[in-house]
Amino acid sequence: AQEIGRDLGRLLSIRRALLVEQDAVEELRELDVYKSRLIATVAHELRNPIAVTRTRLETLAELVDGADHGAGDAGQALDAMSRAAARMSRLVEDLLLLAKASDPTAEDHEPTDLTPHVVSTVQLVLDSADRPVGAVHLDVPDEPVVAPVDPSAFEKVVANLVGNAVKYTPPDRGVRVSLLRQDGRVVLRVRDEGIGIAPEDQARVFGEFFRSADPAVRQQPGTGLGLAIVERIVTNHGGRVELESTPGRGSTFTVVLPAG
Ligand code: ADP
């Protein structure tokens, strides 16, 4: 009876410890949701003033272009301000997307044929590139590739991975995007022949605000939030992202999602 009493005592203290831990986990989860909401609210409030600033800067740039006196210096200053405002705008949009991806209930998963979303998003990335980019080869099967996804979240995954691939690959090298079904799963693979990622950075690229110190990366615009957004969206869909990369040779990002 004494031994049973001791065991019972031990079980009770384990249970108490588990309950405390559960409370702590729950509290952390609530804090995380609160943090995401705060970020979303601040980002949302900044959207409008940044948009106004950008429009007014454009008007000023036109006025300065039209005037001949001192236009050189003023033009350069306005150019720098426009670039800074564009950077702020990218940051605010990415913060909003990160906050949204941190709230899985904000997504609406429905059986979707992924092929048209991949095709149109790749096209959109190519159309919105602000510098010459290399060729993007698309490998998609003829039959539908259906998975339960939130279509706009899935498009964000494709846009960020393909956007990075073309951003970090010289224009004379290629990018290959493939979509396939494999053992009840859907695989989206984005392979580039670009600058690659150093082994010590590979585990860090999915972190918030991480950008490699490589000058070839710092030359390109970016917020360091793209892959954090990708990872959260993929996790919300019950999937995973894998990365293989060799510096100077290229990178392959593979997204595996449960098929419908
Ligand atoms: P961003 O591209 O805005 O800097 P991301 O979160 O999309 O932010 O990527 C984080 C970092 O990972 C990049 O800054 C870069 O160092 C590295 N990276 C991501 N994709 C690639 C790629 N395809 N090739 C080389 N480096 C990459």
Side-chain angles (χ1 to χ4, degrees):
Q2 223 176 23
E3 225 166 83
I4 291 177
R6 256 204 312 275
D7 284 352
L8 213 61
R10 234 178 268 141
L11 274 176
L12 279 174
S13 70
I14 291 174
R15 186 168 172 271
R16 253 197 315 276
L18 277 176
L19 283 177
V20 168
E21 205 161 301
Q22 237 170 26
D23 280 355
V25 168
E26 193 52 38
E27 205 170 307
L28 276 179
R29 216 173 269 143
E30 275 169 22
L31 274 176
D32 209 38
V33 169
Y34 175 74
K35 184 189 82 174
S36 298
R37 287 208 188 120
L38 181 69
I39 290 175
T41 308
V42 174
H44 194 78
E45 289 301 315
L46 284 171
R47 234 179 181 178
N48 197 31
I50 293 173
V52 173
T53 308
R54 292 184 76 184
T55 320
R56 293 300 163 107
L57 281 171
E58 265 170 41
T59 314
L60 272 178
E62 276 163 27
L63 286 174
V64 167
D65 263 357
D68 50 7
H69 217 61
D73 284 351
Q76 268 177 18
L78 282 169
D79 237 27
M81 283 193 264
S82 293
R83 278 198 304 274
R87 237 185 1 254
M88 280 195 268
S89 173
R90 269 198 302 274
L91 184 59
V92 159
E93 293 309 315
D94 273 357
L95 281 172
L96 278 170
L97 285 166
L98 186 72
K100 190 165 177 216
S102 307
D103 178 7
T105 59
E107 287 178 5
D108 211 355
H109 297 190
E110 55 195 63
T112 309
D113 178 12
L114 303 182
T115 307
H117 294 279
V118 172
V119 173
S120 62
T121 307
V122 167
Q123 197 52 51
L124 199 72
V125 170
L126 291 176
D127 291 344
S128 49
D130 50 9
R131 62 175 190 112
V133 296
V136 176
H137 299 278
L138 251 178
D139 256 338
V140 290
D142 291 331
E143 66 275 11
V145 181
V146 178
V149 302
D150 177 309
S152 83
F154 175 73
E155 285 183 358
K156 205 61 227 163
V157 169
V158 179
N160 285 0
L161 293 179
V162 178
N164 278 351
V166 297
K167 195 157 75 167
Y168 300 120
T169 299
D172 58 341
R173 310 245 201 99
V175 170
R176 184 172 284 274
V177 180
S178 36
L179 181 69
L180 52 126
R181 283 194 70 126
Q182 210 171 56
D183 313 323
R185 295 196 169 82
V186 163
V187 178
L188 170 77
R189 188 164 284 134
V190 180
R191 181 182 303 231
D192 68 57
E193 297 173 346
I195 58 175
I197 301 170
E200 66 271 22
D201 287 348
Q202 289 178 17
R204 304 163 70 196
V205 292
F206 294 98
E208 292 165 24
F209 296 109
F210 177 82
R211 305 201 76 205
S212 140
D214 186 336
V217 167
R218 295 305 167 109
Q219 252 169 35
Q220 300 295 335
T223 60
L225 291 173
L227 289 178
I229 294 168
V230 166
E231 191 173 54
R232 286 193 195 188
I233 293 175
V234 172
T235 307
N236 294 344
H237 285 77
R240 61 176 199 275
V241 194
E242 289 161 10
L243 163 62
E244 280 169 57
S245 185
T246 311
R249 300 282 295 275
S251 312
T252 303
F253 285 87
T254 306
V255 172
V256 183
L257 297 175

